[in-house]
Amino acid sequence: MAQKPSIPKGTRDFGPQIMVRRNYIFDTIRNIFKRYGYQPIETPAMENLSTLLGKYGEEGDKLLFRILNSGDFIAGMDSSENLTSEKLAPFISEKGLRYDLTVPFARFVVQYRNDITFPFKRYQIQPVWRADRPQKGRYREFYQCDVDVVGSDSLLNEAELVQIVDDIFNQLNIKVLVKINNRKILAGIAEYIGSPESLTDITVAIDKLDKIGVEKVNAELSEKGISVESIKLLQPILFMQGSSREKISRLETLIGQTSIGAKGIAEVSQLFDYLDNMELKLPYELDLTLARGLNYYTGAIFEVKALDVAMGSICGGGRYDDLTSIFGLPDVSGVGISFGADRIYDVLNELALFPETTTETTFALFVNFGKAEENYCLPYLWKLRQAGVNAEIFPDSDKMKKQMRYADQKNIPVVIIAGEEEMNKKQFTVKWMQSGEQQTVESDALIEILTGFNNLPNR
RNA sequence: GUGGUUGUAGCUCAGUUGGUUAGAGCAUCAGAUUGUGGUUCUGAGGGUCGCGGGUUCGAGCCCCGUCUCCCACCCCA
């Protein structure tokens, strides 16, 4: 007995009808990326582990898929030593699947720095892999659609990214909220409350504010060794209400004296100046509880959430000042944002927002009655294809019932029938599947008639 | 990594207090219909009941282990 076919946990197959919808998402995103002047690149599925490790924090390292070395990697090892998997790991694996597109991009920029004209605006649509436990909206293989610009400090780039977000989700008809924050503000807060070293703990804790409430956040903070004094100082920040502008001015009185905090405030208010003049359709707000776990961010951070469906963020990004310097190219700042195509698919699916796309790929099918009929049809099939009509001939002279059924299941709107009678009269019988109507056409007129219908605006 | 849940035909699921040969719908294939699909009718194929062990005269059902699926947490797109 053959074993039951299956695919690894957290991965999916995509059939033709799903691919039509996925391509709708990819095409929409890609077209908008291009319109803003971004250029495509691709990088390999696997990177050296030295490229990937340490860029995503402790959690991220654990979620990296590692690739086993080829060959007998165990041969030269001293078996008398007490081997832990930690010690073993570098010997048996030196490559890993990419975890995101930003870090490989930073590597790419440094590697080809002499060929790149800065500022470099690139987009990249490729799958990434994470050894996570799958659940709703979470997969082990999923596509990210990244736009980044490196080599420019201007906040105009941040503003443009928000504009792209606005553009894309308007076109996809998804209602979203764009949350904006700045790592420098978070650092300023940490400094203000007197524990700048625990920036990460603080951000992770306040990120959970709307989920678990103030009391549990405070409990977690003191658990992490943050003093009662500091937690007290933090409260007015946690409870801050009002519009983004009001928050900014109140922040000034709190963390304005810290130099990093002042810098963050200046950046955010400049960004909001840009955004307020852009007439964006989607709501955006300053959210001080937005932290984002990826630890390479240094300035603005973004996150986009769908409003009408319970789902993790469908889009996120930020500015990273030091990512290229890790690979040996200092002073090149970048900023970018990543669209999660698979989650966007789930949102569109759940809200039934996919447009009525035609799943049909073939417009006309020639029925196959045998060798002679084949020879009669083939020149016309060729002409139809040359005229830009998607057409095919059934490859076997099976029963007509089976061929009609094939057309029906594949949603092919036109079936062209030519048997002995039609051949003798140099004609074709054209059947319109939806109405069931049939018409007899002269063979010379076939191409013209079908191209005319094929160009109708509704197709 | 932590917690919960699920597993029976290709898919969705029934299956009584443990009892003879494990069922249905959908899908597939064939026929009714040798040049006409989506409807209908008839028939057929398809199963190591996730896997391994145990209890029992007897296990799809009870017990233990294990894997898997989905969900939540952590974290994230």
Side-chain angles (χ1 to χ4, degrees), chain A residues 327-338:
Chain A
F327 297 113
L329 182 63
D331 302 321
V332 177
S333 179
V335 60
I337 196 158
S338 175

Side-chain angles (χ1 to χ4, degrees), chain A residues 234-351:
Chain A
L234 190 62
Q235 298 310 302
I237 294 166
L238 291 183
F239 281 111
M240 196 175 288
Q241 298 290 324
S243 71
S244 301
R245 293 292 185 175
E246 285 165 359
K247 284 182 192 165
I248 291 172
S249 66
R250 214 162 309 166
L251 271 177
E252 250 157 30
T253 65
L254 291 169
I255 65 167
Q257 315 93 301
T258 68
S259 75
I260 184 102
K263 240 174 152 181
I265 291 167
E267 284 183 16
V268 162
S269 69
Q270 167 75 70
L271 177 56
F272 274 82
D273 285 345
Y274 278 128
L275 295 180
D276 289 345
N277 284 320
M278 280 179 169
E279 293 180 2
L280 301 175
K281 298 183 190 79
L282 302 174
Y284 54 95
E285 63 174 36
L286 177 65
D287 182 350
L288 295 173
T289 71
L290 172 62
R292 295 194 60 75
L294 296 178
N295 60 6
Y296 49 65
Y297 292 122
T298 52
I301 45 183
F302 310 103
E303 196 163 284
V304 180
K305 291 208 71 173
L307 288 176
D308 300 325
V309 56
M311 176 84 62
S313 62
I314 54 178
C315 183
R319 180 170 285 276
Y320 41 92
D321 286 331
D322 305 316
L323 204 43
T324 58
S325 65
I326 295 170
F327 297 113
L329 182 63
D331 302 321
V332 177
S333 179
V335 60
I337 196 158
S338 175
F339 293 79
D342 303 79
R343 284 188 178 174
I344 290 172
Y345 181 96
D346 291 342
V347 169
L348 288 174
N349 206 30
E350 214 164 298
L351 299 177

